[in-house]
Amino acid sequence: MEFFRIRRDIPFMKNASIFNVISFVTFAAAVFFLWQKGLHLSIEFTGGTVMEVSYQQPADLEKIRGQVGTLGYTDVQVQNFGTSRDVMIRLPLQRGADGKPVSSAQQSEQVMGALKTVSPDATLQRVEFVGPQVGKELATDGLLALLCVIVGIVVYLSFRFEWKFAVAGIIANLHDVVIILGFFAFFQWEFSLSVLAAVLAVLGYSVNESVVIFDRIRENFRKYRKMSTREVIDNAITSTISRTIITHGSTEMMVLSMFFFGGPTLHYFALALTVGILFGIYSSVFVAAALAMWLGVRREDLVKADARKAGDIDRNDPNYGAQA
């Protein structure tokens, strides 16, 4: 399915070096902000108090956030669970005037006092403390999941294509992940488990775009034996532009709907996906494809076995000596 077809190849690789410099500067800036500011971790990672409150009528989450915010909490998370009358409230660790952490019982009592002034029917169902040790385990498990995804992508690309594509693809994917984290570090947006899930989703989403382009490059090497590597890559990217616009456009519409209408619970999740999708398109074209070209990918790397089997080696190909 195509909305349109571009008849003349766009010379993307002509300015690949310029875009790679931009990518390197952006990547370096993201690493700097991660090192300088760090991530603003949510209570899933730092520890805090979790409260479950029920109401007789559907709860007004915005009003609850406002009431809890009057107590001095800036990173409170309020969301429904189960039904619209059940609310989960996550509170970060709070320290008293003596510097010691305020207990969960004190926090829950303080919050319930504020909630009952507006909604006397509010009932505390459960309260528990999430310790920093649990948060440390979640962070470790999250990093392990990220590592497993990265290793899986490298193995998949190596078997599907060739090691040069695998290296180019994983660098492009890491480029996307680090830039997402850099945005969260620079603006100090809250980094929660849902954002980590978005980062993992972006890894898979971005590699899918790279695979589509790599697959078209492999097809072009088989079809256009007289083309140079740069011309083959330009043709592959140009011929997939319509597909890219359809796929990413429809995905971005869904993500933006979550961003604007999903409320605070989905706000940072959708924000991470938005940044990841935009940079995923950019990295697949100007990072992954360009790196594959710089690494010296050739027709023989992808179709040598097929060419020998079919006996269709082009003797006019300048690389004929290497094929024979």
Side-chain angles (χ1 to χ4, degrees):
M1 177 179 178
E2 291 182 331
F3 278 155
F4 56 86
R5 179 173 294 180
I6 301 175
R7 300 297 179 182
R8 188 173 181 179
D9 294 343
I10 302 173
F12 289 102
M13 294 299 101
K14 181 179 179 180
N15 299 312
S17 57
I18 297 175
F19 287 107
N20 280 354
V21 170
I22 295 174
S23 298
F24 178 78
V25 172
T26 308
F27 182 88
V31 172
F32 172 78
F33 290 124
L34 282 169
W35 171 72
Q36 188 69 21
K37 291 187 173 184
L39 293 172
H40 176 48
L41 299 175
S42 67
I43 67 168
E44 289 104 338
F45 299 107
T46 61
T49 298
V50 178
M51 300 173 55
E52 292 181 6
V53 182
S54 64
Y55 291 81
Q56 295 180 1
Q57 302 294 330
D60 187 337
L61 299 184
E62 290 300 325
K63 186 180 293 184
I64 294 173
R65 290 189 186 94
Q67 284 300 115
V68 178
T70 60
L71 301 176
Y73 292 102
T74 57
D75 298 328
V76 62
Q77 298 177 19
V78 180
Q79 64 187 82
N80 287 116
F81 77 98
T83 69
S84 60
R85 293 176 296 177
D86 297 316
V87 178
M88 179 178 292
I89 303 173
R90 292 186 175 94
L91 305 170
L93 288 173
Q94 191 178 51
R95 297 186 180 276
D98 57 357
K100 295 182 179 180
V102 177
S103 67
S104 295
Q106 290 176 305
Q107 284 185 300
S108 61
E109 184 177 344
Q110 185 186 33
V111 170
M112 288 304 299
L115 295 180
K116 284 182 176 293
T117 58
V118 178
S119 303
D121 63 329
T123 304
L124 179 64
Q125 298 294 332
R126 182 176 69 92
V127 59
E128 66 178 28
F129 175 72
V130 180
Q133 182 61 34
V134 176
K136 184 178 179 181
E137 291 177 3
L138 286 174
T140 302
D141 292 343
L143 290 174
L144 182 61
L146 187 62
L147 179 62
C148 289
V149 171
I150 291 171
V151 172
I153 290 172
V154 171
V155 173
Y156 167 74
L157 291 178
S158 298
F159 278 102
R160 175 75 183 271
F161 298 102
E162 203 259 346
W163 72 266
K164 295 174 185 176
F165 279 135
V167 172
I170 200 60
I171 291 176
N173 278 267
L174 290 177
H175 165 274
D176 299 339
V177 170
V178 171
I179 286 179
I180 293 173
L181 298 180
F183 268 92
F184 273 79
F186 178 74
F187 293 105
Q188 286 296 287
W189 296 330
E190 187 179 63
F191 189 87
S192 61
L193 285 176
S194 62
V195 175
L196 177 60
V199 172
L200 294 175
V202 166
L203 267 174
Y205 191 84
S206 181
V207 76
N208 177 69
E209 181 66 20
S210 298
V211 165
V212 169
I213 294 176
F214 290 167
D215 210 32
R216 186 58 62 89
I217 291 173
R218 181 167 61 181
E219 290 178 8
N220 284 354
F221 271 124
R222 291 171 177 166
K223 289 170 59 179
Y224 308 113
R225 292 179 291 180
K226 299 294 183 66
M227 279 187 177
S228 66
T229 299
R230 175 175 293 183
E231 291 172 336
V232 164
I233 294 176
D234 286 338
N235 179 271
I237 298 172
T238 302
S239 61
T240 58
I241 285 180
S242 179
R243 177 260 175 204
T244 298
I245 292 175
I246 295 172
T247 303
H248 294 284
S250 58
T251 305
E252 192 60 41
M253 284 192 293
M254 180 272 294
V255 172
L256 288 177
S257 66
M258 289 194 296
F259 179 79
F260 289 112
F261 306 112
T265 302
L266 295 176
H267 179 78
Y268 291 119
F269 173 77
L271 191 58
L273 284 177
T274 298
V275 175
I277 289 172
L278 294 177
F279 276 94
I281 301 172
Y282 170 83
S283 67
S284 297
V285 175
F286 297 111
V287 178
L291 283 175
M293 183 179 68
W294 300 137
L295 288 172
V297 65
R298 302 178 304 167
R299 178 176 180 270
E300 301 82 61
D301 294 330
L302 301 174
V303 297
K304 180 165 61 176
D306 292 343
R308 286 182 173 175
K309 182 178 180 180
D312 62 350
I313 296 177
D314 185 1
R315 295 179 180 273
N316 295 319
D317 194 317
N319 295 315
Y320 168 70
Q323 298 177 44

